[in-house]
Amino acid sequence: MLSSAIAQPCRAAPRPCSSACSTSRVFTTPAARSNASRRQQRQAAAATVAPTTADAAAAPEAPSGYRPEKPTLFGVPVSNCAAQNRFIIYKKGLEGEVDIQAPKVLGDKGVKSPAYLALNPQGKMPMLVLPDGTALPESQVIESYLLDKYDGVGPSLQPPTPELRAKAQLARRIHDLYIQPLQGCMYKKMDAADRCDQLQSIAFQLDVLEGLVEGPFVAGEEISLADAALFPTFVFFTEILPKHFGWSSVFEGRPKLAAWWAAVQADPEAARVIAEMRNGLADWEAAKRWDNLGISAQVADGSFNWSCS
């Protein structure tokens, strides 16, 4: 099972005293207080005087904000969340309507650039920016907007019946609540025992999905939003788990998921997204990510059952 930790109560750091509150309290006479009040009134009146022409020329312009010509999705190829939205754009034929850009368009620091943070203070991707400057972060928010805005364009990506739509939503919830929070164990720095526990939890959730898939896609005959939510994360599973953790196959003992993965890869737009993500992972490989983060050394130690067999 996923190891748990006892949450520690947050304690706010002591608030630094301003110069006004850090000085000793001084008791004044009524007359002194009256004089001080008049001084404050004069200062306030002076502050309301319009600036001179020279002052106005010297003042910096207020930033106008980023306003693209058309809706623009920010993300990188390896991001499974951004991949969900790219799939919808490709599948609905919206590439003429929606641009796709890397976060570095807004600054060298990408999602941590000031211009990006001004649009999304969370500093996360994906993010969709509309022509009026409205920023829509979070893949599910972006998905809902695209499906609503372009409802009559291309496939709806919604299963045909209430029962299948409910199944699609369930698959997505399982992914978002129980799988996506664990995915970092495949490629981020962490304690070896925690990593192994989280890999075991991924194996369990794969078994849950095996029992949910309708076939050939998650919610029946047509590819849908449920598949869009799942398949980008399966790129991580299929590319990382066998190579770096010794899994013989992600689909061993999971024939329905194996058939589902084959169906997804046969879809042209899904295949395009999968190829984009694989190229991003190839960059990680070239940068020796797993070696540099000590993951390879943890696995080589042999103290844990990394294959989850």
Side-chain angles (χ1 to χ4, degrees), residues 62-307:
S64 59
Y66 177 75
R67 286 175 171 80
E69 291 185 5
K70 53 186 173 181
T72 300
L73 177 72
F74 288 94
V76 296
V78 79
S79 165
N80 57 334
C81 294
Q84 297 174 23
N85 298 144
R86 291 201 308 275
F87 171 74
I88 292 172
I89 291 169
Y90 299 161
K91 196 69 179 174
K92 290 180 74 67
L94 299 177
E95 287 181 89
E97 303 291 331
V98 182
D99 273 341
I100 300 174
Q101 297 287 351
K104 285 195 173 182
V105 166
L106 296 177
D108 290 342
K109 293 183 179 179
V111 296
K112 301 305 179 185
S113 299
Y116 194 98
L117 292 171
L119 292 162
N120 180 11
Q122 306 289 357
K124 303 290 186 182
M125 59 184 166
M127 172 177 69
L128 184 72
V129 183
L130 306 183
D132 67 357
T134 299
L136 300 175
E138 302 297 331
S139 58
Q140 217 166 341
V141 173
I142 297 168
E143 173 189 288
S144 296
Y145 173 82
L146 293 173
L147 295 179
D148 190 10
K149 178 74 173 178
Y150 304 102
D151 180 41
V153 180
S156 71
L157 296 174
Q158 295 283 3
T161 68
E163 291 76 17
L164 290 175
R165 287 194 290 274
K167 178 165 280 194
Q169 288 299 319
L170 176 57
R172 172 153 210 158
R173 291 294 285 173
I174 289 172
H175 173 269
D176 292 353
L177 292 177
Y178 306 119
I179 295 177
Q180 194 168 26
L182 303 173
Q183 70 183 41
C185 73
M186 293 183 284
Y187 54 79
K188 291 183 178 180
K189 189 178 183 66
M190 66 171 57
D191 174 78
D194 289 342
R195 188 186 308 282
C196 189
D197 283 347
Q198 292 187 24
L199 286 172
Q200 296 282 351
S201 293
I202 285 175
F204 172 77
Q205 296 301 335
L206 290 173
D207 291 338
V208 173
L209 290 176
E210 171 70 15
L212 185 63
V213 171
E214 187 77 18
F217 296 102
V218 170
E221 295 297 322
E222 301 294 331
I223 198 165
S224 73
L225 296 175
D227 306 285
L230 292 178
F231 83 77
T233 304
F234 271 76
V235 178
F236 288 150
F237 293 159
T238 56
E239 295 294 314
I240 297 175
L241 294 175
K243 182 171 185 177
H244 292 284
F245 296 98
W247 287 37
S248 58
S249 170
V250 172
F251 305 108
E252 184 175 355
R254 302 176 182 107
K256 291 169 67 177
L257 277 178
W260 165 80
W261 183 239
V264 166
Q265 291 184 97
D267 179 87
E269 290 77 24
R272 179 180 173 184
V273 172
I274 290 169
E276 291 169 349
M277 290 190 66
R278 284 174 173 161
N279 287 337
L281 286 172
D283 292 339
W284 284 8
E285 293 284 0
K288 298 187 180 299
R289 181 185 184 98
W290 286 267
D291 293 342
N292 294 336
L293 293 179
I295 300 172
S296 300
Q298 285 180 342
V299 175
D301 177 73
S303 300
F304 297 93
N305 177 21
W306 300 108
S307 65

